[in-house]
Short mmCIF file of all heavy atoms in Angstrom, two decimals:
data_model
loop_
_atom_site.label_atom_id
_atom_site.label_comp_id
_atom_site.label_asym_id
_atom_site.label_seq_id
_atom_site.Cartn_x
_atom_site.Cartn_y
_atom_site.Cartn_z
N PRO A 1 -1.47 -0.64 10.86
CA PRO A 1 -2.72 -1.25 10.44
C PRO A 1 -3.83 -0.31 10.18
O PRO A 1 -4.67 -0.46 9.30
CB PRO A 1 -2.93 -2.23 11.54
CG PRO A 1 -1.63 -2.59 12.06
CD PRO A 1 -0.77 -1.33 12.01
N GLN A 2 -3.86 0.77 10.98
CA GLN A 2 -5.02 1.70 10.82
C GLN A 2 -4.98 2.36 9.42
O GLN A 2 -5.96 2.40 8.72
CB GLN A 2 -4.90 2.86 11.97
CG GLN A 2 -6.04 3.75 11.86
CD GLN A 2 -5.85 5.11 11.27
OE1 GLN A 2 -4.63 5.38 10.95
NE2 GLN A 2 -6.84 5.89 11.09
N ALA A 3 -3.86 2.80 8.93
CA ALA A 3 -3.68 3.39 7.70
C ALA A 3 -3.96 2.39 6.63
O ALA A 3 -4.57 2.65 5.60
CB ALA A 3 -2.24 4.01 7.51
N ILE A 4 -3.51 1.18 6.76
CA ILE A 4 -3.71 0.11 5.81
C ILE A 4 -5.20 -0.23 5.64
O ILE A 4 -5.65 -0.23 4.41
CB ILE A 4 -2.87 -1.14 6.25
CG1 ILE A 4 -1.37 -0.93 6.08
CG2 ILE A 4 -3.39 -2.43 5.41
CD1 ILE A 4 -0.50 -1.93 6.65
N TYR A 5 -5.82 -0.42 6.71
CA TYR A 5 -7.30 -0.78 6.57
C TYR A 5 -8.18 0.43 6.18
O TYR A 5 -9.32 0.20 5.64
CB TYR A 5 -7.83 -1.55 7.74
CG TYR A 5 -6.96 -2.84 8.00
CD1 TYR A 5 -6.33 -3.16 9.17
CD2 TYR A 5 -6.87 -3.81 6.91
CE1 TYR A 5 -5.61 -4.30 9.38
CE2 TYR A 5 -6.17 -4.97 7.09
CZ TYR A 5 -5.53 -5.20 8.30
OH TYR A 5 -4.79 -6.33 8.41
N THR A 6 -7.75 1.57 6.44
CA THR A 6 -8.41 2.74 5.97
C THR A 6 -8.42 2.79 4.41
O THR A 6 -9.30 3.02 3.73
CB THR A 6 -7.88 4.04 6.54
OG1 THR A 6 -8.03 4.03 7.95
CG2 THR A 6 -8.48 5.28 5.92
N ALA A 7 -7.16 2.54 3.88
CA ALA A 7 -6.99 2.50 2.49
C ALA A 7 -7.76 1.45 1.70
O ALA A 7 -8.17 1.66 0.64
CB ALA A 7 -5.52 2.37 2.01
N THR A 8 -7.97 0.28 2.43
CA THR A 8 -8.64 -0.85 1.81
C THR A 8 -10.17 -0.75 2.01
O THR A 8 -10.83 -1.61 1.58
CB THR A 8 -8.17 -2.21 2.36
OG1 THR A 8 -8.43 -2.25 3.76
CG2 THR A 8 -6.74 -2.41 2.13
N GLY A 9 -10.57 0.35 2.64
CA GLY A 9 -12.05 0.46 2.95
C GLY A 9 -12.55 -0.55 4.07
O GLY A 9 -13.69 -0.88 4.07
N GLY A 10 -11.64 -0.97 4.88
CA GLY A 10 -11.93 -1.92 6.04
C GLY A 10 -11.92 -3.39 5.58
O GLY A 10 -12.25 -4.21 6.35
N ALA A 11 -11.48 -3.60 4.36
CA ALA A 11 -11.23 -4.99 3.95
C ALA A 11 -9.86 -5.55 4.27
O ALA A 11 -8.91 -4.74 4.04
CB ALA A 11 -11.45 -5.06 2.45
N PRO A 12 -9.70 -6.72 4.72
CA PRO A 12 -8.36 -7.26 5.21
C PRO A 12 -7.49 -7.77 4.18
O PRO A 12 -6.26 -7.71 4.28
CB PRO A 12 -8.83 -8.28 6.24
CG PRO A 12 -10.09 -8.90 5.66
CD PRO A 12 -10.85 -7.70 5.06
N GLY A 13 -8.09 -8.36 3.00
CA GLY A 13 -7.29 -9.16 2.07
C GLY A 13 -6.09 -8.48 1.48
O GLY A 13 -4.93 -9.00 1.67
N LEU A 14 -6.23 -7.41 0.82
CA LEU A 14 -5.19 -6.76 0.06
C LEU A 14 -4.15 -6.17 1.04
O LEU A 14 -2.95 -6.13 0.80
CB LEU A 14 -5.61 -5.62 -0.87
CG LEU A 14 -4.61 -5.06 -1.86
CD1 LEU A 14 -4.00 -6.17 -2.72
CD2 LEU A 14 -5.20 -3.98 -2.65
N GLY A 15 -4.66 -5.77 2.31
CA GLY A 15 -3.71 -5.28 3.30
C GLY A 15 -2.72 -6.42 3.74
O GLY A 15 -1.54 -6.15 3.84
N MET A 16 -3.21 -7.60 3.93
CA MET A 16 -2.34 -8.71 4.25
C MET A 16 -1.41 -9.01 3.12
O MET A 16 -0.24 -9.29 3.40
CB MET A 16 -3.18 -9.96 4.63
CG MET A 16 -3.91 -9.80 5.89
SD MET A 16 -2.91 -9.55 7.43
CE MET A 16 -2.18 -11.14 7.55
N VAL A 17 -1.85 -9.06 1.87
CA VAL A 17 -1.00 -9.37 0.77
C VAL A 17 0.06 -8.24 0.59
O VAL A 17 1.22 -8.56 0.21
CB VAL A 17 -1.86 -9.36 -0.55
CG1 VAL A 17 -1.01 -9.52 -1.77
CG2 VAL A 17 -2.78 -10.61 -0.47
N ALA A 18 -0.22 -6.98 0.97
CA ALA A 18 0.76 -5.90 0.83
C ALA A 18 1.92 -6.09 1.62
O ALA A 18 3.03 -5.72 1.29
CB ALA A 18 0.04 -4.62 1.20
N TRP A 19 1.76 -6.74 2.83
CA TRP A 19 2.94 -6.98 3.70
C TRP A 19 3.90 -7.94 2.95
O TRP A 19 5.11 -7.74 3.06
CB TRP A 19 2.53 -7.65 5.04
CG TRP A 19 1.85 -6.70 6.02
CD1 TRP A 19 0.56 -6.58 6.15
CD2 TRP A 19 2.54 -5.69 6.75
NE1 TRP A 19 0.27 -5.57 7.08
CE2 TRP A 19 1.46 -4.95 7.46
CE3 TRP A 19 3.82 -5.27 6.99
CZ2 TRP A 19 1.69 -3.89 8.45
CZ3 TRP A 19 4.10 -4.25 7.83
CH2 TRP A 19 3.02 -3.59 8.55
N LEU A 20 3.40 -8.89 2.24
CA LEU A 20 4.27 -9.88 1.54
C LEU A 20 4.91 -9.20 0.31
O LEU A 20 6.08 -9.31 -0.01
CB LEU A 20 3.46 -11.06 1.10
CG LEU A 20 2.83 -11.96 2.27
CD1 LEU A 20 2.02 -13.05 1.72
CD2 LEU A 20 3.95 -12.43 3.19
N ILE A 21 4.05 -8.45 -0.54
CA ILE A 21 4.52 -7.88 -1.75
C ILE A 21 5.71 -6.88 -1.43
O ILE A 21 6.75 -6.88 -2.03
CB ILE A 21 3.49 -7.14 -2.44
CG1 ILE A 21 2.51 -8.21 -3.06
CG2 ILE A 21 4.01 -6.28 -3.63
CD1 ILE A 21 1.26 -7.61 -3.72
N THR A 22 5.39 -6.07 -0.39
CA THR A 22 6.39 -4.95 0.02
C THR A 22 7.70 -5.63 0.51
O THR A 22 8.80 -5.11 0.30
CB THR A 22 5.78 -4.00 1.00
OG1 THR A 22 4.53 -3.58 0.51
CG2 THR A 22 6.66 -2.78 1.16
N GLY A 23 7.55 -6.64 1.24
CA GLY A 23 8.68 -7.35 1.69
C GLY A 23 9.60 -7.89 0.58
O GLY A 23 10.85 -7.77 0.66
N LEU A 24 9.01 -8.42 -0.48
CA LEU A 24 9.71 -8.89 -1.70
C LEU A 24 10.43 -7.77 -2.36
O LEU A 24 11.59 -7.81 -2.87
CB LEU A 24 8.82 -9.63 -2.70
CG LEU A 24 8.23 -10.96 -2.12
CD1 LEU A 24 7.16 -11.50 -3.05
CD2 LEU A 24 9.34 -11.95 -1.87
N VAL A 25 9.76 -6.55 -2.39
CA VAL A 25 10.34 -5.41 -3.03
C VAL A 25 11.57 -4.88 -2.15
O VAL A 25 12.57 -4.59 -2.75
CB VAL A 25 9.31 -4.22 -3.01
CG1 VAL A 25 9.93 -2.89 -3.32
CG2 VAL A 25 8.14 -4.53 -4.07
N CYS A 26 11.47 -5.00 -0.94
CA CYS A 26 12.62 -4.60 -0.01
C CYS A 26 13.77 -5.60 -0.17
O CYS A 26 14.85 -5.12 0.03
CB CYS A 26 12.08 -4.51 1.49
SG CYS A 26 11.08 -3.09 1.85
N ILE A 27 13.54 -6.75 -0.33
CA ILE A 27 14.56 -7.72 -0.65
C ILE A 27 15.34 -7.40 -1.90
O ILE A 27 16.62 -7.25 -1.91
CB ILE A 27 14.03 -9.22 -0.67
CG1 ILE A 27 13.61 -9.69 0.56
CG2 ILE A 27 15.15 -10.10 -1.34
CD1 ILE A 27 12.97 -11.04 0.56
N ALA A 28 14.60 -7.09 -2.96
CA ALA A 28 15.20 -6.67 -4.16
C ALA A 28 16.02 -5.31 -4.02
O ALA A 28 17.04 -5.13 -4.56
CB ALA A 28 14.25 -6.54 -5.39
N ALA A 29 15.32 -4.41 -3.33
CA ALA A 29 16.00 -3.13 -3.05
C ALA A 29 17.24 -3.18 -2.21
O ALA A 29 18.21 -2.54 -2.62
CB ALA A 29 14.97 -2.23 -2.36
N ALA A 30 17.12 -3.96 -1.18
CA ALA A 30 18.33 -4.10 -0.30
C ALA A 30 19.48 -4.86 -1.03
O ALA A 30 20.61 -4.43 -0.85
CB ALA A 30 17.99 -4.93 0.95
N MET A 31 19.21 -5.88 -1.83
CA MET A 31 20.22 -6.54 -2.52
C MET A 31 20.91 -5.66 -3.50
O MET A 31 22.12 -5.76 -3.78
CB MET A 31 19.74 -7.80 -3.17
CG MET A 31 19.41 -8.96 -2.15
SD MET A 31 19.24 -10.54 -2.91
CE MET A 31 17.87 -10.32 -4.06
N THR A 32 20.14 -4.76 -4.15
CA THR A 32 20.69 -3.83 -5.11
C THR A 32 21.51 -2.77 -4.46
O THR A 32 22.57 -2.43 -4.85
CB THR A 32 19.53 -3.18 -5.93
OG1 THR A 32 18.64 -4.25 -6.55
CG2 THR A 32 20.04 -2.22 -6.94
N PHE A 33 20.90 -2.18 -3.38
CA PHE A 33 21.56 -1.11 -2.56
C PHE A 33 22.87 -1.61 -2.10
O PHE A 33 23.87 -0.78 -2.08
CB PHE A 33 20.68 -0.77 -1.46
CG PHE A 33 20.86 0.63 -0.88
CD1 PHE A 33 20.25 1.78 -1.34
CD2 PHE A 33 21.82 0.78 0.19
CE1 PHE A 33 20.49 3.04 -0.73
CE2 PHE A 33 22.05 2.01 0.74
CZ PHE A 33 21.35 3.11 0.26
N ALA A 34 22.99 -2.89 -1.67
CA ALA A 34 24.21 -3.43 -1.07
C ALA A 34 25.38 -3.35 -2.03
O ALA A 34 26.51 -3.10 -1.51
CB ALA A 34 24.00 -4.76 -0.51
N GLU A 35 25.20 -3.48 -3.27
CA GLU A 35 26.31 -3.49 -4.17
C GLU A 35 27.08 -2.19 -4.18
O GLU A 35 28.33 -2.05 -4.05
CB GLU A 35 25.80 -3.79 -5.66
CG GLU A 35 27.00 -3.70 -6.65
CD GLU A 35 26.69 -4.23 -7.98
OE1 GLU A 35 26.02 -5.32 -8.11
OE2 GLU A 35 27.03 -3.49 -9.01
N VAL A 36 26.31 -1.07 -4.31
CA VAL A 36 26.91 0.27 -4.35
C VAL A 36 27.46 0.63 -2.92
O VAL A 36 28.50 1.36 -2.82
CB VAL A 36 26.00 1.34 -4.88
CG1 VAL A 36 24.85 1.56 -4.03
CG2 VAL A 36 26.77 2.49 -5.34
N ALA A 37 26.82 0.14 -1.86
CA ALA A 37 27.21 0.46 -0.50
C ALA A 37 28.61 -0.18 -0.21
O ALA A 37 29.39 0.42 0.46
CB ALA A 37 26.25 0.03 0.46
N ILE A 38 28.77 -1.40 -0.72
CA ILE A 38 29.99 -2.14 -0.43
C ILE A 38 31.13 -1.52 -1.37
O ILE A 38 32.29 -1.47 -0.93
CB ILE A 38 29.89 -3.59 -0.64
CG1 ILE A 38 28.91 -4.10 0.41
CG2 ILE A 38 31.18 -4.38 -0.49
CD1 ILE A 38 28.34 -5.54 0.07
N MET A 39 30.83 -1.22 -2.50
CA MET A 39 31.70 -0.75 -3.52
C MET A 39 32.29 0.67 -3.15
O MET A 39 33.40 1.01 -3.42
CB MET A 39 31.13 -0.67 -4.91
CG MET A 39 32.13 -0.37 -6.07
SD MET A 39 31.38 -0.47 -7.63
CE MET A 39 30.54 1.00 -7.73
N ILE A 40 31.40 1.45 -2.53
CA ILE A 40 31.80 2.80 -2.11
C ILE A 40 31.64 3.00 -0.57
O ILE A 40 30.63 3.62 -0.15
CB ILE A 40 30.90 3.87 -2.86
CG1 ILE A 40 30.88 3.55 -4.33
CG2 ILE A 40 31.43 5.32 -2.60
CD1 ILE A 40 29.87 4.45 -5.13
#
């Protein structure tokens, strides 16, 4: 949280949204990664 709110200039909004956006990115990344991990 310290790095997050430093980047936002002490504003909370985009920091909270970033947890959700990055989670969705990780879902897409993990589902993609799993195909090659299982195949090899």
Side-chain angles (χ1 to χ4, degrees):
Q2 188 257 350
I4 287 169
Y5 296 126
T6 296
T8 63
L14 192 59
M16 292 297 291
V17 171
W19 288 100
L20 300 178
I21 291 174
T22 309
L24 294 173
V25 168
C26 287
I27 289 174
M31 288 197 298
T32 303
F33 200 91
E35 176 171 314
V36 71
I38 295 166
M39 189 177 75
I40 309 172

